[in-house]
Amino acid sequence: GSRGAGNGQFYDPFSVAVDASGNVYVSDNTNRIQKFNSSGAYITQWGSRGTGNGQFNFPIATAVDASGNVYVSEHNNHRIQKFNSSGTYLSQWGSWGTGNGRFRYPYGISVDTSGNLYVADQANHRIQKFNSSGTYITQWGSYGRGNSQCVNPIATAVDASGNVYVADFSNNRIQKFSSTGTYLATIGGSPKTRLEWAKQVIKKIVTDPDLTQGAYFGLMNWHSRASMRVNVAPGGAAAIYTDVDRLIASGGTNLDSAM
């Protein structure tokens, strides 16, 4: 591979999936899927930018089932498309929304040994499960930091026993579930929210003995910017601590979603 749009070239490759024969399927930012053998020899490709059958807009993830069917998660078209191993379009499901079978920026997908598909529905903060025909089965997850909750889940994986692992991106952890969505365990994670981390950093800075005048703290998320001014004076650390502790995530600083 190299940068480009030709056969065997890539432009921001997003995902890789491998079938039972060792063939490799790669999605990239040219809105196509390329297929290679296990040695990297180019075999075929399909896709172009658009909303029609077999077209893509940001094909962020791929998965292959035991029959060799290829599933593509389209981040910006809010749908899943299904193809055979040669790239022939078979079906699709999904549209923008929050109801069953709908998506808001679907991300990672995985397939279990029975052909069921698990989709990380990123902006809906949930996992949805479908059969191989796209029929909705169940879902789990909601916005939050508790067990079974997620904030921007971006990837899924399934083990041989059918357990589902979810990359809970903004919570900095992996969660493990049964095939029906029962919570089993958590790997990693931070006990602090981003707001709490921001408070900790601000408090550390304002107690620096070399800091004798006002300082700006800029905190930014994807869509907005926020800043606050802290005036530092001798003996003023306690007052600053109190002021910082009054900050809330829903306030004008949007600290809880700061990036």
Side-chain angles (χ1 to χ4, degrees), residues 82-181:
K82 180 179 179 179
F83 304 87
N84 69 16
S85 60
S86 299
T88 300
Y89 170 84
L90 298 176
S91 65
Q92 66 174 279
W93 65 93
S95 60
W96 169 269
T98 59
N100 296 345
R102 294 192 172 194
F103 306 108
R104 292 173 62 214
Y105 303 106
Y107 221 101
I109 54 178
S110 57
V111 184
D112 66 19
T113 55
S114 299
N116 298 307
L117 193 73
Y118 301 85
V119 182
D121 189 4
Q122 183 189 6
N124 281 328
H125 311 291
R126 65 183 178 183
I127 306 302
Q128 293 196 69
K129 179 180 179 179
F130 303 87
N131 69 16
S132 59
S133 299
T135 300
Y136 170 84
I137 298 175
T138 190
Q139 66 175 279
W140 63 88
S142 61
Y143 181 87
R145 292 176 171 80
N147 295 342
S148 297
Q149 293 185 306
C150 303
V151 181
N152 298 313
I154 64 168
T156 60
V158 187
D159 66 21
S161 299
N163 298 307
V164 182
Y165 300 81
V166 177
D168 189 2
F169 180 77
S170 295
N171 281 331
N172 303 300
R173 64 185 181 182
I174 306 299
Q175 292 196 71
K176 179 181 179 180
F177 302 89
S178 72
S179 61
T180 56

Side-chain angles (χ1 to χ4, degrees), residues 34-49:
Q34 293 190 78
K35 179 180 179 180
F36 304 86
N37 68 18
S38 59
S39 299
Y42 172 84
I43 297 175
T44 189
Q45 66 174 278
W46 65 91
S48 61
R49 183 179 176 84

